Every structure is written in C-alpha cells, then in structure tokens.
Amino acid sequence: MVMNSQSATIDMRLKHAYGDFDLDVDLRLPATGVTVLFGPSGSGKTSLLRFLAGLARAQQGRLQVTGAVWQDETNFIPTHLRPIGYVFQEASLLPHLSVEANLLYALKRVTKDGATLQDEESEQVLSLLGIKPLLKRQPEQLSGGERQRVAIARALLSQPEVLLMDEPLASLDQQRKREIIPYLEKLRTELAIPIIYVTHSLAELSRLADTVVVLEAGRVVTSGPTSEVLTHLDSPLQLNDEAGVVIEASVISHEERWHLLRAGFVGGEMWLADEGIAIGEAIRVRVMARDVSITLSQHEDSSILNTLPARILEIAEAAVPGALLVKLVLIGSGEAVENGNSTVLVSRITQRSAEHLKLVEGMSVWAQIKSMAVLR
Amino acid sequence: MDENLAAIALTLRLATTVTLLLLLIGTPIAWWLARTRVWFRGAVAAVVALPLVLPPTVLGFYLLLLMGPNGPVGALTESLGLGLLPFTFWGLVVASCLYSLPFVVQPLQNAFEAIGERPFEIAATLRAGPWDRFFTIALPLAKPGFVTAAILGFAHTVGEFGVVLMVGGNIPGATRVVSVQLYDHVEALDYAQAHWLSASLVLFSFLVLVVLYTFNRRASSSFRLRG
C-alpha cells in the first residue's frame, strides 16, 4: 500500500525467509488511529510486529518510524532503545512483581526524576484502564482480562510513540473479551499515538480498525481504510463466514416504547436495539453479508425492520459454490452519494436467487438487513 | 575432642568460602551456558561437568601437579609471592571449587533456562537494557536455582574426601577437614570418636537440608504459580 507520504510514520520494507516461512512486505502505515494487521496464523503478522519492536531482526530491509531509522543495512536499534509499547498475547506481566511494581518498572525507566503513579499523567492511564483496585495484587491473582489491562497500562506508562499489540484478546474467553474491548475502544479514541494491532478475529477488526492490512503467507494481499477493505468483493476477508461491513453512524432518536434507537448515516437511517446510547453519539454498526438479503420491492408485511433503498454496484462469485456477493450502495438520501461519500453494504445470496430476481449491476433494489451489531 | 571441633570449624569455613566463590564464578558461567548458541558451548558444558564423572583422586592428582613447584599454576603463584597452594587452606579452596563447580552451575543453568524468553522480551520493551534485565529479571526469577545451587555446593564440599587428601593432605587446623579426621579415627580404631563425629555430621547435614529445602519448596512453588 502506498499512502500519502506526508501522513506516513511507519515505513517498512522487510524481507525474511526462514524454513517454510517467507515474508516480503513493503508498507507505509498512517500516523494515527488503529492499524489492524489481519491474517490467518502463519501469515506473518506477529513476525512483522516483532520486527517492528526489534524483538526479532528481519534479514533484509529498512524500517523507519517517525523519521528515525530503526533498521537498515548497517543499523539495528535494539528493543530497549525503541520508543514502543508492546502488549503480548499472554503472560504479559513480570511474574515476580506486583501490579504496582510492574507499572513502576515501566515508569522508572522513562522518567529520570522520581515520577510516581500518583502523578497526573499516570493517574489518567490508571483510571482509563481501571487499574487502581488491582495495584497491590500479584499477577497470579488477576483474571486474564485484568492482566491484559495492566499490561496495556504498563505499555502506556513507558510513553511510547507507537503502541504494538499482538492479539491481546486471543487468550481470553468470550466474557473477558467483552470486558476488555470497551477499554480498547477508549484507547482508540483517546490516544494520540498510532496503534498497530495484530489479530485474526474479524470481530475485533470491525470494532477497532481504522486501517486494515491483510496478510497471507508473508505477503500483503490488500490494505487500506477499513470500510474500503471490508467492501472489496475479491478480498480474502470475504471467505470468512462472518464477513461484513462496518457503518459509521450516529444516534438520531430513541423509541422508548420499542427499546429501539434510530441511527443515521450517509445514505440512510436504520433501527437498532437501544443500548442506552445518547443522542448524537457516534456508533459503529457491523452488518454481516450473510444477514443482508435483496428484494425488488419494499415489503410492508415483513418482520424485518430495516429495508433500505440501494443500488447494485457489483456482483461477484463467492468462494462457496452457488453463492454470490453483491455490493450495494445505499441511496436513501441522494446528495451524499454524489459527493463521493457513501455507505456500502455487502450481501451474500445464492446464485439461484440472483438469477430468479435477474439482478444486474446498476439495478435499484431494496436491501433487507436481518440483524446487526452495534459496536459503538 | 578439640581436634574434632577444629576439623568441623575448618570444614564449615571451607564449605562457606567455596560456596560463596562458586556462586560468584558459577553465575556468569551458568548464564552464558543458558543463553549462548555458539558451537563450542557443548565443550564448555562438558568441562564444567567433568568432575561429576571423574574419580576425585584423578582431579586431585592433576591439581597437585598443576599447583606444585613444577606446575604452571605453581610457578604463577610463586612469582606472585603467594607461595605454593598444595597442602594449604587456599589450595583446598581452589580444588573444592573445581570439584563442586557442576553442582552449582547446573541448577543455576536450569533455573536461567526455565525463565524462558518472554520476561526478558517484556523487560526490553519497557526500556530495560541487557545488564538491567540480568539484575531485575534473571536474578530474581532464578532465586530457587540459587538456593539449590548453594545447598548442593555446600553439601558437596563438606562431603569430599579424595580431592582433599590429594591436594590438602592431613595438616591439623589447615587442611584436616571432617572427612579426613574421620578416616584417621577409623584407621586408629577409635570408634567412639568416629561415631561422635559421624553422628554430628549426619545431624548437621540433615538440619541444613531440612531448612533449605523447606525454604526452596516455598520459593519454587510460588515461582511455578506465578509463571
């Protein structure tokens, strides 16, 4: 991916071959927001993160972060001299130190003059991640989710210029994941530094990513802004059963009687389960391709709440035999679509239905959305 | 009886000196063996482990030659004005250090290896340099290994006989340790003295081991839990 060079802060061209593993990437990542490195295990996403951190050394290449060269033919800056924060997949805390001592381990090494956890900046980090009640505990007395929160807080206390996270939720069960994801979303909105986040979970990608890099077998297969990558019909992401798009919306009104809220976005509005989100607040809504169906007319006699006018942009074969992917642009309010700003859905239907409805590109249809998830 | 007490005191002094020296010498060796990947690592490990398989008298014989007036070590110590080491307390210390080295290095090496890469990687991402990592990660996490190494080094030095006899001889107050004294009693058929000395040695060793193993059990079980 070649991004605008002014906005690029992480510039890497790295090559590494070891046994069956062969990595060759040329990437420029943006200065802000969350970049998700996505791919199956063995795709090289964790290796890439370790090269960034200096925990491993790529055999060839160049790595430059915010103007500083971290690796080239002659130089290799060791990990402890790189201004990074790193959150490991599991066992992230130093086992012989209490939570407080773990945090101080980081703080003492970046501040010369006796900084404490009571300083304003540290306080902010601790309250952002809800650490204060845990300070006196030992790592083995924490749940997996609490451990990861402490690890994230510790990484932030080391005042990183880039935060690197290697599948921080992968070792947690569903409930722990739900417990920690709101903290990650807060990081996303409140941190000024870029976050590079490795995951193989499409759900985490949908919630957190601003930019997506999809890796397969050591190569970048597609990359770009999240909404773009998620709506690419030939992207390997579409092979996933949970493939879908993310819509940036905001809350317009509440319908208390039905426990519903109305959310508006470029090109339309829709009903969602009301989770007590205030009017005006920005939310992310995830719509999976398998939950979107297509009709030629608007059915008033359907149990489906959200039926939105749309136009077919593209039809492509899905990886599953007999299935098609249909890319739809929502045309609920016309003017937004024309200035290049639009909301796109992907629908997965059967080839039989497509033939039966005689769907072709450019056709106006109705998109029925069976269900969706509010991600905030 | 006074002779027995003198022998016990000398043995304790020797074992303590040797244990402390070995912890100092053995730690860098064990650290190096645990972390290095160079090709001659195996050869170094074999040299360290040699005293485990050699008869003590073989080791003692070579040390006697090396440290004697015609040996290179002997020439060196004489030129430094230290005199000759055989049949002195410090000669015993040198010999015991070599003899007990594997008993200190191996538990330390195992403890260092058991830490794994992760804690060091964590520390590096928190800006800890190599020395910082050694003192704040390696040493505290290897604590159970240090306890085991100290027990084994101490106990093994107390129990040696062959090397001591070859290198130290049998000089009261200087090289006559408990094991040699005991041998003298048995040679002289003085079984009462032999019993007294043996029983006190058994009791002492037992008590030291009980205390240290109790401590070590606690240390190593908490280590496992946290790991």
Side-chain angles (χ1 to χ4, degrees):
Chain A
M1 167 180 50
V2 180
M3 305 196 70
N4 182 341
S5 62
Q6 272 95 44
S7 72
T9 52
I10 298 169
D11 189 338
M12 48 180 157
R13 269 170 291 151
L14 298 172
K15 282 186 187 181
H16 192 83
Y18 183 79
D20 285 345
F21 181 70
D22 170 27
L23 181 124
D24 185 352
V25 297
D26 184 349
L27 273 175
R28 267 152 288 277
L29 303 179
T32 53
V34 178
T35 299
V36 164
L37 303 182
F38 182 89
S41 52
S43 60
K45 53 195 195 305
T46 293
S47 300
L48 209 53
L49 204 69
R50 291 175 64 82
F51 292 148
L52 257 171
L55 293 171
R57 183 175 183 162
Q59 287 153 348
Q60 280 182 54
R62 183 182 167 83
L63 172 62
Q64 188 170 338
V65 179
T66 54
V69 175
W70 287 3
Q71 181 181 345
D72 61 16
E73 297 77 34
T74 49
N75 299 301
F76 182 78
I77 308 291
T79 303
H80 68 279
L81 299 178
R82 299 186 183 192
I84 53 158
Y86 199 106
V87 178
F88 292 86
Q89 186 173 334
E90 55 192 350
S92 258
L93 298 184
L94 294 171
H96 59 303
L97 300 177
S98 69
V99 169
E100 189 172 25
N102 261 283
L103 297 173
L104 285 171
Y105 194 96
L107 194 62
K108 278 181 183 163
R109 281 165 179 76
V110 289
T111 48
K112 301 274 171 278
D113 43 355
T116 69
L117 293 175
Q118 283 74 48
D119 296 346
E120 197 184 327
E121 271 178 52
S122 308
E123 283 266 340
Q124 271 178 3
V125 170
L126 297 196
S127 59
L128 179 71
L129 289 151
I131 302 295
K132 279 187 202 161
L134 312 175
L135 282 177
K136 296 295 172 203
R137 302 226 209 130
Q138 292 294 323
E140 77 263 17
Q141 299 169 310
L142 302 179
S143 72
E146 287 168 335
R147 244 175 267 168
Q148 287 307 63
R149 267 156 56 201
V150 175
I152 295 167
R154 190 184 56 186
L156 294 179
L157 288 178
S158 65
Q159 300 171 8
E161 287 172 22
V162 189
L163 182 59
L164 308 173
M165 304 179 94
D166 183 13
E167 308 211 30
L169 304 186
S171 60
L172 306 179
D173 58 38
Q174 278 305 325
Q175 197 186 333
R176 300 292 174 210
K177 276 183 195 166
R178 272 200 294 279
E179 166 197 314
I180 198 166
I181 274 200
Y183 291 103
L184 294 177
E185 285 168 336
K186 268 200 272 178
L187 289 187
R188 178 172 164 261
T189 51
E190 294 184 22
L191 282 190
I193 57 167
I195 299 175
I196 316 290
Y197 189 103
V198 165
T199 186
H200 62 261
S201 151
L202 206 47
E204 285 169 41
L205 181 156
S206 303
R207 282 189 101 120
L208 300 168
D210 296 305
T211 306
V212 178
V213 175
V214 181
L215 287 160
E216 238 178 53
R219 301 287 187 283
V220 175
V221 282
T222 169
S223 62
T226 306
S227 55
E228 221 171 82
V229 170
L230 287 176
T231 55
H232 256 290
L233 294 193
D234 54 1
S235 144
L237 291 181
Q238 305 296 353
L239 299 178
N240 195 306
D241 189 45
E242 302 201 325
V245 301
V246 169
I247 299 173
E248 309 274 354
S250 64
V251 179
I252 303 171
S253 63
H254 292 269
E255 198 70 39
E256 272 169 41
R257 187 174 164 210
W258 307 113
H259 290 283
L260 292 172
L261 62 78
R262 189 119 184 105
F265 48 89
V266 176
E269 291 180 4
M270 61 185 160
W271 294 107
L272 296 167
D274 191 351
E275 293 175 20
I277 303 166
I279 288 175
E281 236 184 280
I283 54 174
R284 272 189 163 196
V285 182
R286 184 172 176 213
V287 183
M288 292 185 199
R290 64 176 189 214
D291 292 329
V292 179
S293 56
I294 295 174
T295 63
L296 297 181
S297 56
Q298 189 176 20
H299 294 276
E300 297 294 339
D301 55 350
S302 165
S303 69
I304 288 176
L305 273 178
N306 292 300
T307 303
L308 305 168
R311 194 173 60 241
I312 296 176
L313 286 180
E314 192 186 342
I315 301 174
E317 280 188 25
V320 188
L324 289 178
L325 294 172
V326 181
K327 188 163 161 182
L328 301 159
V329 61
L330 297 178
I331 49 172
S333 52
E335 81 294 341
V337 181
E338 272 143 37
N339 62 33
N341 211 347
S342 61
T343 300
V344 171
L345 285 180
V346 175
S347 165
R348 186 186 296 176
I349 58 172
T350 61
Q351 229 151 14
R352 185 181 180 278
S353 307
E355 232 174 88
H356 181 68
L357 298 176
K358 299 190 174 60
L359 299 182
V360 288
E361 286 169 17
M363 197 170 161
S364 288
V365 293
W366 294 87
Q368 287 192 325
I369 306 174
K370 199 169 122 205
S371 78
M372 61 200 100
V374 179
L375 306 175
R376 278 199 100 107
Chain B
M1 196 53 145
D2 285 348
E3 281 188 339
N4 288 346
L5 289 179
I8 289 173
L10 180 70
T11 304
L12 292 181
R13 185 154 75 97
L14 176 68
T16 309
T17 311
V18 167
T19 305
L20 292 177
L21 279 175
L22 276 182
L23 288 178
L24 282 177
I25 302 164
T27 303
I29 295 176
W31 176 247
W32 184 82
L33 285 173
R35 309 283 296 180
T36 190
R37 292 191 200 108
V38 298
W39 59 271
F40 56 89
R41 178 188 173 281
V44 176
V47 169
V48 170
L50 261 186
L52 287 175
V53 290
L54 280 182
T57 42
V58 172
L59 189 67
F61 172 65
Y62 280 123
L63 281 174
L64 199 57
L65 292 185
L66 279 174
M67 301 194 297
N70 299 321
V73 179
L76 179 74
T77 53
E78 283 213 295
S79 72
L80 290 172
L82 298 170
L84 289 171
L85 288 176
F87 311 111
T88 68
F89 176 74
W90 287 102
L92 271 194
V93 169
V94 171
S96 304
C97 276
L98 280 172
Y99 184 48
S100 298
L101 187 64
F103 293 85
V104 171
V105 168
Q106 291 196 345
L108 288 182
Q109 186 185 337
N110 291 340
F112 287 140
E113 282 169 355
I115 296 173
E117 275 306 310
R118 184 51 60 80
F120 297 107
E121 293 189 343
I122 294 170
T125 67
L126 300 173
R127 317 276 193 279
W131 286 100
D132 192 355
R133 296 200 289 271
F134 178 74
F135 285 107
T136 59
I137 308 293
L139 290 190
L141 284 178
K143 200 168 91 184
F146 278 93
V147 176
T148 307
I151 296 168
L152 291 181
F154 191 91
H156 196 250
T157 308
V158 168
E160 75 187 72
F161 177 72
V163 173
V164 170
L165 206 59
M166 292 294 268
V167 175
N170 191 356
I171 305 163
T175 64
R176 187 187 285 170
V177 295
V178 169
S179 54
V180 178
Q181 176 82 341
L182 182 61
Y183 182 74
D184 279 359
H185 287 321
V186 176
E187 283 264 273
L189 297 178
D190 190 350
Y191 279 27
Q193 291 282 345
H195 268 304
W196 188 90
L197 200 55
S198 301
S200 40
L201 206 61
V202 168
L203 188 68
F204 168 77
S205 307
F206 177 71
L207 288 179
V208 168
L209 288 180
V210 165
V211 169
L212 291 178
Y213 274 129
T214 309
F215 168 76
N216 203 28
R217 161 65 71 81
R218 212 179 308 136
S220 61
S221 67
S222 72
F223 176 69
R224 267 200 302 278
L225 259 180
R226 290 175 200 177

